[in-house]
Amino acid sequence: MVAIIEADCTGCDLCIPHCPFEALLPLMESPPERTKPKRPIVVVESQCVGCLSCIGSCPTNALHEIKSPPNAKDSPLLHPPPPPATEPVNRWKKGGLRWA
Ligand code: SF4
Ligand code: SF4
């Protein structure tokens, strides 16, 4: 899987179209302690399959690989936490990103 170092994420959105599983989405609201002007991107764990397609897409290296817990029963892929409130991303409609 991947994780994002929130302090390093500028919210530039460049990584979003690199995820074919729509696991990289903008948080609906910035956390109150955030100092950057734009809201961060988060990894929706229930969507991320660990393909690493996104890993080189971040200009600030905020995206990095993490290992799932060795005990598969504890894997977040099997027991994902509730997804965070995220903004919808328009990929294919008029004005959308137009790539997966
Ligand atoms: S590419 Fe990096 S800095 Fe930009 S939104 Fe994605 S994680 Fe954040
Ligand atoms: S590792 Fe793959 S599924 Fe997970 S966020 Fe990156 S591109 Fe999406």
Side-chain angles (χ1 to χ4, degrees), residues 4-80:
I4 294 178
I5 303 168
E6 190 203 300
D8 293 341
C9 176
T10 61
C12 70
D13 298 354
L14 282 175
C15 57
I16 292 176
H18 287 269
C19 177
F21 299 95
E22 302 189 14
L24 299 171
L25 292 173
L27 259 194
M28 192 72 81
E29 291 181 9
S30 277
E33 66 278 8
R34 183 163 169 84
T35 54
K36 293 191 166 53
K38 213 171 163 198
R39 83 285 178 265
I41 298 296
V42 291
V43 181
V44 180
E45 293 185 4
S46 56
Q47 303 275 101
C48 176
V49 300
C51 68
L52 303 183
S53 296
C54 60
I55 205 80
S57 65
C58 178
T60 64
N61 292 325
L63 274 170
H64 60 283
E65 185 179 3
I66 56 169
K67 290 199 184 301
S68 293
N71 180 349
K73 288 180 182 168
D74 295 330
S75 168
L77 291 175
L78 292 174
H79 305 287

